[in-house]
Amino acid sequence: MVRLGFLGLGVMGLPMALNLARAGTPLVVWNRTPGRCDELRAAGAEVAESPAGVFATASTVLMMLADDAAVDAVLGRGTPAFAAHVAGHTVVHMGTTAPGWSRALGEDVAAAGGRYVEAPVSGSRIPAAKGELVAMLAGDAAGEIAPLLAPMCHETVLCGPVPNGLLTKLAVNLYLITMVTGLAEATHFARRHGLDLARFAHVLDEGPMASAVSRVKTAKLLAGDFDVQASITNVLENNRLVAEAARHAGIASPLLDVCHALYGETAALGHGQEDMVAVVRAIEARTAAAS
């Protein structure tokens, strides 16, 4: 089997890497906070002391890092370390960043003698833990990489050249953001009218609009459970990326723009590290202000 490297063991990266290790994939990992590596070590993964140690050991390296700045820092982009890291390697970017930035990174990787694949995923912490993510791959080597992701992803979709993987992810995120925001507003509406919320949830769960996301998020809204799966801060950043991609292409995004305002208000109220369903707090605040 191909030895894989994995950089970034955050909310998503840790369960993703664990699924690889538990499936028997030879794996070498690194994380900026070393304690995050303990579960991987126990699962049989090798733990490197630095990103360079990962690249020295694995020819294919998966990255699940927070943002473009984190990727640049870990790869040493703009320094001599960059070519030393990526030359002769396949670099797989699984996070969510601006498509234009990803295209430029791919060009830099190729110029340094490496190969570049986008593989952003659809799904949050629970699907990541269950190995039920959907990966959207782009790049010349995408077809070779897809089978390696099987322990993490129940579906891989080839999207063509870079940056089509990230553009597809942003389109999916636009739907997710507007859908969950609408669900939060509907729940707020039902609650304020004094409806039986269990019956409201039952109608949603058994109706044509139900989905795995709606069922989980409805339950969280009814329980007041804001334990993070995808945080307000993270969703606000994703919202920004989608909006910028829309503006760059001259595309209107009216629903997204309303959501951007609401998530910004939620963060300002101090709920940035809570789950995205906490957007209901901004809706509640607007109701209170209008009363």
Side-chain angles (χ1 to χ4, degrees), residues 96-99 165-175 238 241-242 245:
T96 303
T97 56
L166 274 164
L167 285 171
T168 303
K169 172 65 186 295
L170 294 185
V172 170
N173 278 2
L174 195 161
Y175 176 52
N238 275 264
L241 291 172
V242 180

Side-chain angles (χ1 to χ4, degrees), residues 184-253:
E185 184 172 336
T187 303
H188 176 66
F189 177 89
R191 192 186 302 273
R192 293 284 294 191
H193 276 282
L195 298 181
D196 183 317
L197 295 181
R199 289 176 183 166
F200 164 72
H202 182 67
V203 172
L204 288 181
D205 290 349
E206 299 303 322
M209 297 176 292
S211 67
V213 171
S214 73
R215 291 188 175 99
V216 169
K217 297 303 187 185
T218 300
K220 289 177 74 66
L221 282 161
L222 267 57
D225 172 16
F226 299 139
D227 184 44
V228 68
Q229 294 172 341
S231 73
I232 291 290
T233 299
N234 178 257
V235 173
L236 188 58
E237 172 64 11
N238 275 264
N239 197 312
R240 180 187 68 80
L241 291 172
V242 180
E244 288 181 355
R247 300 294 174 268
H248 182 74
I251 299 168
S253 56

Side-chain angles (χ1 to χ4, degrees), residues 172-183:
V172 170
N173 278 2
L174 195 161
Y175 176 52
L176 172 66
I177 292 167
T178 55
M179 177 182 67
V180 173
T181 306
L183 178 61

Side-chain angles (χ1 to χ4, degrees), residues 81-124:
F82 179 75
H85 285 155
V86 307
H89 291 78
T90 300
V91 178
V92 184
H93 172 37
M94 302 193 74
T96 303
T97 56
W101 175 89
S102 178
R103 181 191 288 115
L105 175 61
E107 292 169 353
D108 287 352
V109 170
R115 300 193 301 173
Y116 179 71
V117 174
E118 287 179 343
V121 294
S122 179
S124 58

Side-chain angles (χ1 to χ4, degrees), residues 119-123 127 131-137 152-157 169:
V121 294
S122 179
E132 295 176 352
L133 298 171
V134 178
M136 293 149 277
L137 285 79
M152 302 182 292
C153 305
H154 77 91
E155 189 70 34
T156 53
V157 180
K169 172 65 186 295

